[in-house]
Amino acid sequence: MNPEKLAKLQAAAAASRIGGKGTPRRKVKKVHKNPVADDKKIQATLKKLNVQPLNHIEEVNFFKNDGSIMNFRWPKVLASPAANTFVVEGTHQIKQIHELLPDIISQLGPESIESLRKLAETLQLGQAAKAGEAAAEGDDDVPELVENL
């Protein structure tokens, strides 16, 4: 038999065969994790910490260092004051501070108040620039009333 032809056949057979007779067995068994099992472990750990639900909480806000806020609307909140543990469950939205402004002023810390002050300054500068542009245009002035109606 021709050695070149034999080499081609062996290469084609090795490329097409994935498993079957003569192939080595897989030594590592992949374990697929079940998210339900993870949830059960979390619930068991929370039960050990003796967390109790806190009812009637409408909103939870987490202030991030970059000035954005993680906002939870009607979350499920569990707390264990003895373990200094609070659990917040629910969907969140990432919002900027100006989107939640009138409602969250009482929740702001010193860092957030400073960023709020900077935001107010930029808004004032923007409004002043718009007013300057409107005054420079002069076309937006209301004509004076000459006749009596």
Side-chain angles (χ1 to χ4, degrees):
M1 201 167 195
N2 190 357
E4 293 176 22
K5 190 175 182 181
L6 183 62
K8 282 184 182 180
L9 287 173
Q10 286 177 344
S16 65
R17 184 173 51 184
I18 296 174
K21 190 173 182 182
T23 59
R25 289 190 178 185
R26 185 175 59 191
K27 294 182 180 179
V28 178
K29 182 179 179 183
K30 291 202 173 196
V31 179
H32 299 288
K33 288 193 172 189
N34 189 357
V36 175
D38 290 341
D39 191 40
K40 287 181 182 179
K41 287 181 183 179
I42 291 171
Q43 294 300 328
T45 304
L46 291 175
K47 190 173 183 180
K48 287 179 188 176
L49 291 173
N50 196 21
V51 294
Q52 300 298 320
L54 296 177
N55 298 325
H56 307 295
I57 294 183
E58 297 177 12
E59 183 178 40
V60 174
N61 292 319
F62 287 105
F63 295 88
K64 298 168 99 180
N65 289 336
D66 63 356
S68 61
I69 299 170
M70 284 178 57
N71 177 260
F72 292 83
R73 298 293 288 166
W74 291 102
K76 179 180 176 186
V77 179
L78 306 169
S80 174
N84 195 20
T85 304
F86 294 89
V87 179
V88 179
E89 292 181 38
T91 58
H92 71 280
Q93 295 177 342
I94 303 292
K95 295 186 177 183
Q96 295 301 319
I97 194 166
H98 60 81
E99 295 176 33
L100 302 170
L101 245 182
D103 300 330
I104 63 165
I105 290 180
S106 62
Q107 301 172 6
L108 295 176
E111 303 89 17
S112 299
I113 288 182
E114 185 62 35
S115 69
L116 181 64
R117 192 172 291 135
K118 289 179 184 177
L119 178 66
E121 289 174 2
T122 58
L123 287 176
Q124 287 176 352
L125 291 175
Q127 288 177 352
K130 286 181 184 176
E133 290 173 7
E137 289 177 7
D139 295 336
D140 294 336
D141 292 338
V142 178
E144 292 189 22
L145 186 62
V146 234
E147 301 177 15
N148 280 337
L149 296 177

